[in-house]
Amino acid sequence: MDMEYPKDDFMVLDVENAGTGRERDRERNRSMLDSAASTPDSHAVTLNGFGGRGSPRKSTPSNHRHDTPPSLHQHARNPQAQLNPPLNSPLYSSRKSHPLSDQDSSDDLALDAMPRAYKFPAATLPTGLCYDVRMRYHCELDPPKQRLDFHPEDPRRIYSIYKELCLAGLVDDKMSTQPIVSRPLQRVNARNATQAEICLVHDTKHFNFIERTKDMSEDMLVHLERQYDSIYFNRLTYASALLSAGGAIDTCRAVAGRQLKNAIAVIRPPGHHAECNRPMGFCIFDNVSISAKVCQMDYPETCRKILVLDWDVHHGNGIQQAFYQDPNVLYISIHVHENGNFYPSGPYGDHEHCGAGPGLGKNINIPWPTKGMGDADYLYAFQHVVLPVAYDFNPDFVIIAAGFDAAAGDQLGGCFVSPACYAHMTSMLMPLANGKLVACLEGGYNLESISKSTLAVTRTLMGEPPDRLKETSPTESGVATVQKVALYQSRFWPCLYPKDMDQEVMRSLGAERMHDIIRCYQSAQMFENHKMTNLWIFRDRICKSFEKQVLATPELIGAPDPFTKKFEMSNTWLADGLKYYVDWAARQGFGVIDVNIPKHLTDVDTDSQDDRTGRLSEPEELAVYLWENYIEYDTSALNIVEISVNKKEATTMPRRSFLSELGQLIMELCTS
C-alpha cells in the first residue's frame, strides 16, 4: 500500500511561548524520535494531534513496513547527536528538493515535517484604544434650555462611542457586556501635550491664547464665542484640548513603535479645522497634524512618510495647511464642497489645490458637488484614486482623520455612509504601512450614527471582516467628481489614468483644440450649403476665441485610448444637433447668426477648467458686440428664439426681455 504524504510543509504557531523557541523544539524532537524508535510497528507520527493536512496519519501495515535508515536510529540512541545533527541528517531534508518515493521511511517524513515556531510580530499585538473622561469637560458655558438645541460638538459624543464599545464586549471595563472578547482593546492613557509638540503645527501666539482661556471670566469666554468661527470655550477647554492632542500623540507613537498593532483614539475636541494661528470649526489644536509631526521626529527611519486620509464630511483645512508643502505627508480628503459653499467654505477644498513647492501632488481633494453621497460613491473614490495613489506613495504610517458626520442620520453632513462602508474603507487601508494605522476621531454629531460607525471601524481594526454592503452603484455626480480628480492628479501620479493633457505640452507639439479645427470645416460647409459667411469680430481680446463662429456646437462620439488619450479616427463621429435647425431657418428665408460657445476658449482659458467667471466674460462681450454691430430689427415685431439642444426646447421672448435675460442665457451657453 502506498503511503499518504502531506503536500506542504508543516507550520505550527505557538503564540504564547514563541520566545522560548529552541529548547522547546529540541524536547519535542527528542520525544518524537524516541517514540519512533520504541514503536517500530507503527510509523504514524502525529504532530500536535494532526498529520498531513489536518487529519490523522494512517499507519503502514506491518507487512509493508519500510526499514528505518541507520541514521535515524543513530540519532534516536544519541540525544546529543540529535541536538547537533550533521548537515546530511534527515533533520535537514526537504521534500521539495528530495521528492519522496516508496523507499523513503515514514520516520523520515515525520522528521522532515518537524514543527517550527514562527513569529508574527504584528498579528499577535493588541489593538489600542485612547479614551479619557476628562475630555468631556470642554462644554458650553450657557447651553440652551431646549435639549434639541445643544451644540452639535456635544461632550456626550465620546461617551456614546465608549459605551458602544463596552456593550460590544471589546473593552475590559465594569460596564462591558460579559463575556468580553479574548483579547480586549489595550487602553492608551491620555496625557497633556507639551507646548513644544503643539507648536510644531501652531504658532506660539495661538497656544498662548488658548492657554489664557483657563483664567478668563465666563462673560469674556461667551464674548469670544461670537468673535470666532463655530467655536466655544470654557475654563477647561485648554485642559481638554491638551489631553486630546496628547492622547492622539501617544496613540500614534504606540503604533509607530510597534507596541500596538493599530489603534483608535476617541478624543475631543476635534482638530482638523484648526489652523496655524486660529481655532475654528469646533477645533482647538490640530491633533492629527501634531501627531504626524511628532512621529516623524521620534521615528525618523521608520515613520518618514505618512498618509493622512480624512473622510470627515468637511474639508480638513487645518491639515491641508500644515502639510501643503511637505513631500513626506500625503493628505487625501473626501468631503462635500458644493462649489465652495459648504463649511469651511472657499476654494481651498477643490480638486485643483494639490500642494505647492516640494509638496506638489501630495494634497488630493475629492470634493463632492452636493450632499447625499453614499457608500458606493466613497468606495468608488477609494478604488479609483485613494488606493492607487496610497500604494504608489507607499507610506510608513497611516492616520485616519475619522470624522463620522458623513454617516447616515447626521444632519450636518447630509450624506448616507453606512457603518459597513466605514469598515470597508478601514479594511482597505490596513495593508498599508505594515498595518501601522491609527484612526483619530474628528467630527460626527448624531450620537447613534457615530457610535455604530466607530464600533464598525474598531471591530475591523481588531480583525473582524466588515459587514456586507447593500449599495454598490455610485451616483453620476460621484463618478464625474472622482474622474475629474483622477484626471487632474494624473500629472503627478503615474498610477492614475487617463492622463491629463497639459496645455503647454500640447502647444509645444503644435497641437490645436479639436473644436478649432471642426469650426473651420463647419464654416466651409455652412458657406457651401447656405452662403453663410464669417462675421469678423474686431476686438483683439476675443477675436481669436470666436474666429469662424458661423457654426453649430459639435460633439465627438468615440472612446479614447486611456493611456494616450488618442481617438481612433475611423471609429470617431461628429454629431451636430443644431445643423437641422440652421437648415430649417435657411429654407424659411430667415437671417441666421449661429454662434458656438465652446467649453474651453482658445488662448483664454488657463488650466482651471471650472472658472465660470472667466468663461462668462468673453461670451458676454461677444453677444453685446453682435447685438450692436450686426443685428437690425423692427422694434415692433422682433422676437428672440433661444434653442438649447441640451434642454431640447425652444423659447420665444419679446425683445424687451431679451437684454435682461442675456446674462442668464450666456451662462447656460457656457455650461452647455
Side-chain angles (χ1 to χ4, degrees), residues 15-304:
V15 174
E16 299 296 331
N17 301 298
T20 60
R22 189 176 303 276
E23 286 300 325
R24 187 186 61 257
D25 291 345
R26 289 172 176 172
E27 289 298 325
R28 185 192 297 117
N29 296 348
R30 183 184 298 110
S31 175
M32 293 172 57
L33 289 168
D34 291 340
S35 175
S38 61
T39 55
D41 290 335
S42 175
H43 296 276
V45 179
T46 304
L47 305 180
N48 289 348
F50 293 94
R53 287 203 175 262
S55 57
R57 183 77 53 77
K58 293 182 180 180
S59 299
T60 305
S62 58
N63 58 344
H64 288 86
R65 182 168 65 88
H66 298 282
D67 293 332
T68 303
S71 59
L72 175 63
H73 293 293
Q74 176 182 355
H75 286 287
R77 291 192 301 268
N78 187 354
Q80 185 61 35
Q82 179 203 346
L83 295 178
N84 299 284
L87 292 177
N88 60 356
S89 166
L91 290 174
Y92 292 105
S93 63
S94 170
R95 290 197 306 280
K96 295 180 179 178
S97 58
H98 304 285
L100 292 169
S101 65
D102 290 341
Q103 302 302 319
D104 292 320
S105 168
S106 61
D107 295 291
D108 286 331
L109 173 63
L111 291 174
D112 184 38
M114 200 67 66
R116 308 179 184 91
Y118 286 84
K119 294 183 179 180
F120 290 84
T124 57
L125 292 173
T127 295
L129 166 67
C130 180
Y131 169 79
D132 194 306
V133 67
R134 293 174 294 173
M135 297 181 200
R136 298 175 60 190
Y137 297 165
H138 167 64
C139 59
E140 292 181 279
L141 277 174
D142 187 23
K145 307 305 179 187
Q146 298 297 325
R147 181 174 179 177
L148 295 179
D149 293 333
F150 279 127
H151 194 284
E153 211 290 279
D154 192 323
R156 294 174 297 171
R157 295 170 60 240
I158 59 172
Y159 175 73
S160 297
I161 293 173
Y162 182 73
K163 181 180 178 181
E164 189 75 21
L165 298 178
C166 289
L167 293 178
L170 306 185
V171 185
D172 188 4
D173 190 279
K174 291 184 294 184
M175 66 185 297
S176 295
T177 300
Q178 300 296 327
I180 64 174
V181 295
S182 59
R183 175 162 287 188
L185 294 166
Q186 180 73 42
R187 295 293 295 273
V188 178
N189 294 326
R191 63 164 175 88
N192 289 339
T194 66
Q195 179 177 354
E197 291 171 333
I198 291 175
C199 288
L200 291 172
V201 173
H202 301 281
D203 60 25
T204 304
K205 183 178 179 181
H206 173 76
F207 178 85
N208 292 337
F209 164 71
I210 300 299
E211 184 181 26
R212 287 197 301 271
T213 60
K214 65 184 176 65
D215 299 319
M216 292 182 181
S217 65
E218 292 188 359
D219 291 340
M220 178 63 73
L221 292 171
V222 172
H223 178 69
L224 284 176
E225 293 181 21
R226 303 189 185 101
Q227 291 183 330
Y228 283 86
D229 180 9
S230 302
I231 200 76
Y232 63 79
F233 301 96
N234 69 11
R235 291 176 182 173
L236 294 176
T237 294
Y238 172 66
S240 297
L242 289 181
L243 285 171
S244 184
I249 291 171
D250 276 9
T251 304
C252 290
R253 292 181 74 254
V255 174
R258 267 297 181 237
Q259 301 169 27
L260 297 171
K261 174 175 60 178
N262 47 45
I264 184 163
V266 183
I267 55 177
R268 67 173 292 272
H272 73 147
H273 290 311
E275 295 186 345
C276 170
N277 56 358
R278 62 169 177 162
M280 59 180 290
F282 314 160
C283 302
I284 308 297
F285 297 135
D286 189 351
N287 306 315
V288 166
S289 298
I290 295 169
S291 301
K293 287 185 177 291
V294 170
C295 287
Q296 285 180 320
M297 291 180 59
D298 291 352
Y299 304 95
E301 299 299 326
T302 59
C303 198
R304 183 173 61 89

Side-chain angles (χ1 to χ4, degrees), residues 469-488:
L469 293 170
K470 297 180 180 179
E471 179 190 355
T472 57
S473 299
T475 62
E476 290 185 7
S477 60
V479 172
T481 299
V482 172
Q483 291 180 344
K484 177 173 63 177
V485 172
L487 181 65
Y488 197 84

Side-chain angles (χ1 to χ4, degrees), residues 343-415:
Y343 192 87
S345 304
Y348 303 107
D350 65 21
H351 72 284
E352 294 179 359
H353 281 78
C354 48
L360 187 63
K362 299 302 191 299
N363 193 92
I364 300 178
N365 290 320
I366 304 177
W368 301 132
T370 181
K371 296 181 180 180
M373 313 309 284
D375 292 355
D377 298 302
Y378 277 77
L379 292 182
Y380 188 83
F382 257 68
Q383 293 162 351
H384 291 81
V385 174
V386 175
L387 291 181
V389 170
Y391 276 93
D392 200 350
F393 182 65
N394 192 21
D396 302 314
F397 194 69
V398 178
I399 304 178
I400 302 175
F404 295 103
D405 39 7
D410 193 295
Q411 295 183 351
L412 285 185
C415 292

